[in-house]
Structures are given as structure tokens and as C-alpha cells.
Amino acid sequence: MPPPGTGPTAIVPPDLLPPGLAVATAVAAEHLRAHGIGPGDRVVIDAPARVRWSVLPHLLAVDRAGAAALVADPGWSDRERAAVLTDTAPSRVLDVSTAGTGSGTSTSTGTSTGTETSTGTSTETSTPARPEPGQPRPTGPRDQLDGTDPFLLPTTSGSTGPPTVLARTRDSWLIGFDVLGPLPGPVLVPGPPSSTLYLFGALHALHHGLRLVTTDRFDPADLPAGGSVHLVPALLSTLLDDRDRHPERPAPAVIVCGGAHVAPALRERCARLLPGTVLIEYYGSAEHSLIALRRDAGPLRAVPGVRLAVHDGVLWVDSPQTVLGRLRDGVLQPIGPGPSTVGDRADLGTDGALTVHGRAATTITSGGTLVAVEEVEQVLRGVPGVADVVVSGTPHPSLGTLVTAVVEATDGVAPSRRALRAAVRTALSPAKRPRRWLLVPALPRLGSGKPARSVIDDALRDGTRGTRPFPEPSGGRP
């Protein structure tokens, strides 16, 4: 019988790891064994923000041990971190230092690409927090790994509330790796491993034996010629703005875009500026992983094995990629089997084409009309000069809530308000169009890179601190 984690259920087969990363993972695995970490345990991995990807060999070692890993977000507040640790009830917390073992994987800390960096060793800096005696655990020790054991404890982004700790199986991501399939290498993953979007991209690349390049932030100069890159729509917009200025730079063969919806105007701009690049857009969630894919201009359709249904305007997903459940005070609260929902509003055509309008929690009411803010944001992200945007509501005496757009401009230069209004006039009914326009130097963000909606909502309620109105166009109101 093979040792735990070396069989086909390992998230990355050991023989596919680059030599340096394989050595670092083996060292980390020995460290875990020395501390008694095995199947059924939960391990929280901490790393400083400046070397976030140093968690990688430790995560792979936790997987090899048959345990489940949670990658902590260094951007969490003390309250958020305490809540996550309470729900996780970890067997051990690993503090990854910068004195490394040399992974050999192509990583960097956000300043360059392809740099060989250390991956870090680990120490225990807190007392292991175990459940009380007799408290149930989601799994128990086993002699052989099972693909249905949890290997990862992802947290929701917390964009509309505190993070939730989930329990994900190896099989669920192995299915997703096959659905997405191999990509041209090398693969650039320009974001933190605490975000499942970027962690999925990194493990997917390693699983397929591709050279991996990780950075903590996106710089278009890091793009691998002929390779692939994982982005969110705001970073895709950044890439295209850079392409306008530097058309001579290398172009990726494939862009994988998730985390939010790609506006039609943004897809069209991508096709125009990068005609030889394939754009793969996916819709998913922390709870369901990959739900639907769109390649270039085709429709968004459910991936194989996923069944979709819309009831009362809300999307329900029945998928083998669904998480096992949520952790509350150390106890797993199962989700499945069967359909479940995260509350996204959607339409499903008779031909299977899916249109997602956004989370019900991000719907506002203005003048009696329900406005899905993500629908409005999709339109505005396609306007040149918009780095990103969040649509929210501000109080209004007659409408109740005024649709308000908070815009982050590209390179600090405000886009034309005339262009913004023209875009929403073309794509949206009058009740959905923003009536108030505000500029910010930079939107507050979560560790995943997504805008922190709750922070923005609080700022608007407190008097729009940190924002300023758009300058009035010359010649009066357009």
C-alpha cells in the first residue's frame, strides 16, 4: 500500500513537481510527520505578505500527509483571523519564515517573474487549537488517502461579510483540472494563494506539469510570451490598457479570467487588441468551483457533470465539485448532496446558455426597481479608462436608494463621464443607470484582489470619505 498522498489522489502527482519544489515539499512533509500531523488533521499556514507563495511546499506537504490546509490571508483583521481560527479548530498553525529550503519553482514576490526564490521553513507560533474532547471531526485517520477527504479549507472572499471556512475535497479540484485542461506554459498566476482563484490556477499548472510563475501583483511586463495567465476582469482591463500603450510586448496564448463577469465590451476589446489570444472566461464560486465556461465569444455554458436550474430567478447548482460543507466552531456542517445555491440571480436559456446577474446580496432597490449591481459593473468595466468599479446605493429622499458608481480610474486619470453615461444608456434601462458618479484613487480590496464591498458601502454611508465627484465636463452636463 503506498504512503498517504503518493497515490493518484494527490492534488499534484509528486513526479510532476519541479525538482526544487519536490525537495522543499519533502522537507516540509518530514517536518509535519515529526509533529504528528496526519490524515484528518487541519493545518493553518501563515506567511508574511511579502512572501505569500512560500506556503506552496507546505500546502503540498499537508496534502501528502492526508490533512487539510487553510492558507491564511495576511490582510485579515484580528477579528476576522480569530473568527476563522475558531471555525477551523486547527490541529496546528504553521508560521512560514523567509529562511527557506529553496523550492526551485519559478516564483517572485511581485517585482519580477521567473525568479528562483526560497519557499520557507515553518515553525509553530501558537498553541494548537483542537476541538474539545468528544467534538466531531469531518474525517478520521486513514491508512490510505481517499479523493473524498478534505485537502483544502478555502475561505470565502468576505466581499459582503466575514469569511466563511469551507471544506473541499481533492477530487473536486481534480475534476476542475480536467475540465479546464492543460494550458500553454509557462503559466503566470499574479495573485495571493489565500485566494482560491489564484491557488486553483497554480495547482492546476503544477498538476499538468507546466512551469509555474507566481507573483503577488500583476505587472503586464511579466506576461509570458505564448504562455497563459490567470486574471480577474479588473486586471484584464489593466492588461488591455497596457497593450494600447505597448503593443510590442509579448502576448499570452491564453487568458483565463474569473472572479467576476467579463463585460461584452471588454471581451470585444480583448479580441481586437489580442487577436491571437484565446480568452477563457469561467463562472464559479468558492462553494461550487467551476460552474460554467465561455471561450472567446461563445455562450457561457455549464461544464461537464454540472446540472443547473433556475428557481424564482435564483441559480441552483448540482455539481461533483461542490464543497463538503462549512466549518462552524470546528464542526463540519454538510452541504450536499443535491442542488445548492449561493444566491446568484441568473437566466438559463432553452439551449443551456447561462446569464448571471450577480448575487442577490448585491442587489439594491432604487425607486421600486431591483438593480443587480454586477450587471451595471459589467457595463462600466468595458469603458476605456475604468480600472475597476463598484456600484452601490446611497440614501435618497424619494427613490430610497440612488444607484451610485464608485470608479477607480486607470493610472489616476478619470475616464470621460460622457463615455460612462453613453455606455449605460446603450446597455441599461433608465432605472438601472447610475445617478451619482464618484472617483477614488484606488478601491479598497480584499486579499483576493476583489473590491471590498462592505468597506465601500460603509464609506458611502459615512459620507463618501475617500471619494470625490467626477469633474463636470466642459460645456455643461452631457
Side-chain angles (χ1 to χ4, degrees), residues 376 379-384 386 389 402-405 407 414-438 469-478:
V376 185
V379 173
L380 294 175
R381 285 194 187 104
V383 177
V386 175
V389 60
L402 199 66
V403 181
T404 301
V407 176
S416 160
R417 187 163 63 170
R418 185 184 301 274
L420 293 169
R421 286 179 166 155
V424 297
R425 276 198 303 269
T426 300
L428 301 171
S429 61
K432 297 180 179 180
R433 299 171 191 166
R435 303 286 190 91
R436 191 177 189 189
W437 302 88
L438 299 171
F470 264 73
E472 286 292 338
S474 58
R477 184 183 181 92

Side-chain angles (χ1 to χ4, degrees), residues 24 30 37 59 77 82 88 91 127 148 168 171 178 189 193 198 268 276 324 342 344 368 379 434:
E30 182 58 36
I37 299 299
L59 184 145
S77 66
T88 305
S91 307
T127 302
T148 60
R168 175 164 294 288
D171 276 358
D178 289 341
V189 178
Y198 296 116
E268 293 166 5
L324 292 173
V342 296
D344 279 343
V379 173

Side-chain angles (χ1 to χ4, degrees), residues 3 16 39 45 214 231 241 256 294 338 353 372 375 380 416 433 446-447:
L16 290 180
I45 308 176
T214 61
L231 298 175
D241 288 340
V256 182
R294 183 203 320 270
E375 180 184 2
L380 294 175
S416 160
R433 299 171 191 166
L446 304 165

Side-chain angles (χ1 to χ4, degrees), residues 389-472:
V389 60
V390 166
V391 172
S392 185
T394 51
H396 189 271
S398 59
L399 295 175
T401 301
L402 199 66
V403 181
T404 301
V406 183
V407 176
E408 176 185 328
T410 301
D411 296 331
V413 180
S416 160
R417 187 163 63 170
R418 185 184 301 274
L420 293 169
R421 286 179 166 155
V424 297
R425 276 198 303 269
T426 300
L428 301 171
S429 61
K432 297 180 179 180
R433 299 171 191 166
R435 303 286 190 91
R436 191 177 189 189
W437 302 88
L438 299 171
L439 277 172
V440 289
L443 292 168
R445 296 190 180 274
L446 304 165
S448 64
K450 295 180 181 179
R453 291 186 182 276
S454 59
V455 174
I456 296 165
D457 289 342
D458 289 345
L460 291 176
R461 282 195 298 269
D462 292 345
T464 65
R465 64 176 182 269
T467 66
R468 61 185 175 90
F470 264 73
E472 286 292 338

